[in-house]
Amino acid sequence: MVQHRMVDVNGIRLHIAEEGRGPLVVLLHGFPESWHSWQHQFGPLAAAGFHVVAPDQRGYGSSDHPEDVEAYSIFHLVGDVVGLIRELGAEQAFVVGHDWGAPVAWHTALFRPDLVRGVAGLSVPPPFRGAQPPLETMDRRFGGRFYWNYFNRPGVADAEFARDPRATLRKFFTMASGDGVGTGEVRQPLVDPERGWLASMPDPQTLPRWFTEADLDALTESFSHGFTGALNWYRNLDRNWELTAPWQGAVVTPPALYVYGDRDVVPAFPGTPELIERLPVLMPNLVREPLKLAGCGHWTQQERPDEVNAALLDFLKSLS
């Protein structure tokens, strides 16, 4: 059974869910998610002999929500993972991330390869620092309409999403699902800054087949503190670009796995398809070709738990 507790790491308190005993596997969720997004991974990984731990990351759920925007830099986020590994008494860990959790996992492996036995990313590929700040780049490319730039406006998306958190999450999870509304051509996530993002999203009559009302209940409860902490991650994108200048040209060296869906908008971001194609050349320790899941949208481990679990178990067992 999954157990829950609070732990003190890196100057804050994190809520963690955990199950099993053995080598440590840290599962890092993305936006707008919580530890619950890994519910289908706990049992199989724990049964295979792993200690599975999924935190609510800072700014989410029952974990602390620092007020300072700068408290959500990539160094703070990686620091939380490093502190969690040490707090749990492990010398090393496997680190797995989805969506925003993937950059945290990749950067943990980049900054502290001594602590990472293996790293896996779902949806978001490994970090290769671009030539220009990302918010500035997307602002110029899409005239300020890219969702990162909308999220960067203080208080705006916060207020829009908090008016009806349950409807917000229902729309997000359906819109980005592989079997949700409008599953045709994958389009860039652009926002009318005057109308907001939710106005352009259909409000589904039924949820995707893999996402239940109970899932939506749990997720809605986790955002009872609002969305500001989660959105502050995006508000550090350009700052993270500045902070990671010393790693320009560096690559992730621990053994790595990358999994994504062919209906996921993130791997379709400008320049990302070309990056994914070159990953086997760019990353010498990628254990296999990137695994593309046909018909899968953004919520990789929730939409395709059996395939994700099989890939993760193959990866983890090969390194244990």
Side-chain angles (χ1 to χ4, degrees), residues 114-149:
D114 57 310
L115 294 180
V116 178
R117 297 179 68 172
V119 57
L122 312 181
S123 178
V124 181
F128 288 89
R129 186 174 179 272
Q132 301 294 328
L135 286 171
E136 177 184 313
T137 299
M138 291 304 196
D139 184 57
R140 187 166 55 248
R141 186 180 186 109
F142 295 108
R145 297 182 63 222
F146 198 68
Y147 78 107
W148 293 353
N149 301 105

Side-chain angles (χ1 to χ4, degrees), residues 258-318:
Y258 175 57
V259 182
Y260 69 107
D262 68 353
R263 289 183 176 176
D264 186 351
V265 65
V266 174
F269 284 176
T272 305
E274 294 79 9
L275 170 61
I276 294 172
E277 189 173 321
R278 296 182 60 219
L279 279 181
V281 175
L282 294 171
M283 289 186 59
N285 290 324
L286 200 68
V287 298
R288 57 172 293 173
E289 295 278 334
L291 175 59
K292 180 163 68 172
L293 302 177
C296 181
H298 180 62
W299 317 107
T300 326
Q301 77 273 21
Q302 298 183 77
E303 293 188 48
R304 295 298 179 81
D306 292 343
E307 290 159 282
V308 168
N309 291 346
L312 286 177
L313 286 169
D314 285 347
F315 177 65
L316 298 172
K317 289 179 178 179
S318 72

Side-chain angles (χ1 to χ4, degrees), residues 55-282:
D56 282 334
Q57 297 203 75
R58 67 166 61 205
Y60 285 86
S62 300
S63 294
D64 282 352
H65 296 234
E67 292 186 9
D68 188 354
V69 173
E70 294 188 353
Y72 295 86
S73 77
I74 193 64
F75 285 155
H76 290 85
L77 305 176
V78 170
D80 293 346
V81 178
V82 171
L84 182 59
I85 293 170
R86 293 302 193 210
E87 179 66 21
L88 294 170
E91 293 296 322
Q92 289 186 311
F94 297 100
V95 186
V96 181
H98 168 254
D99 184 74
W100 250 114
V104 179
W106 295 125
H107 280 92
T108 302
L110 184 67
F111 299 159
R112 292 300 305 272
D114 57 310
L115 294 180
V116 178
R117 297 179 68 172
V119 57
L122 312 181
S123 178
V124 181
F128 288 89
R129 186 174 179 272
Q132 301 294 328
L135 286 171
E136 177 184 313
T137 299
M138 291 304 196
D139 184 57
R140 187 166 55 248
R141 186 180 186 109
F142 295 108
R145 297 182 63 222
F146 198 68
Y147 78 107
W148 293 353
N149 301 105
Y150 179 66
F151 286 1
N152 195 45
R153 298 167 64 188
V156 176
D158 319 47
E160 182 190 11
F161 298 162
R163 287 189 197 106
D164 187 342
R166 187 179 181 86
T168 295
L169 296 164
R170 183 172 62 240
K171 287 185 174 187
F172 267 123
F173 273 75
T174 302
M175 177 270 296
S177 167
D179 58 356
V181 177
T183 57
E185 180 184 355
V186 176
R187 299 180 179 179
Q188 299 299 329
L190 304 183
V191 181
D192 182 334
E194 301 307 318
R195 297 177 64 227
W197 201 3
L198 298 177
S200 65
M201 293 185 194
D203 196 351
Q205 297 299 310
T206 58
L207 295 172
R209 55 185 170 77
W210 51 268
F211 190 63
T212 69
E213 291 290 343
D215 293 331
L216 183 56
D217 289 341
L219 192 61
T220 302
E221 173 61 26
S222 74
F223 281 94
S224 60
H225 298 284
F227 290 81
T228 298
L231 291 167
N232 282 342
W233 291 43
Y234 291 89
R235 293 162 182 157
N236 277 277
L237 281 167
D238 280 2
R239 184 164 179 257
N240 290 342
W241 182 84
E242 295 174 357
L243 293 171
T244 56
W247 287 269
Q248 180 74 33
V251 299
V252 172
T253 55
L257 171 72
Y258 175 57
V259 182
Y260 69 107
D262 68 353
R263 289 183 176 176
D264 186 351
V265 65
V266 174
F269 284 176
T272 305
E274 294 79 9
L275 170 61
I276 294 172
E277 189 173 321
R278 296 182 60 219
L279 279 181
V281 175
L282 294 171

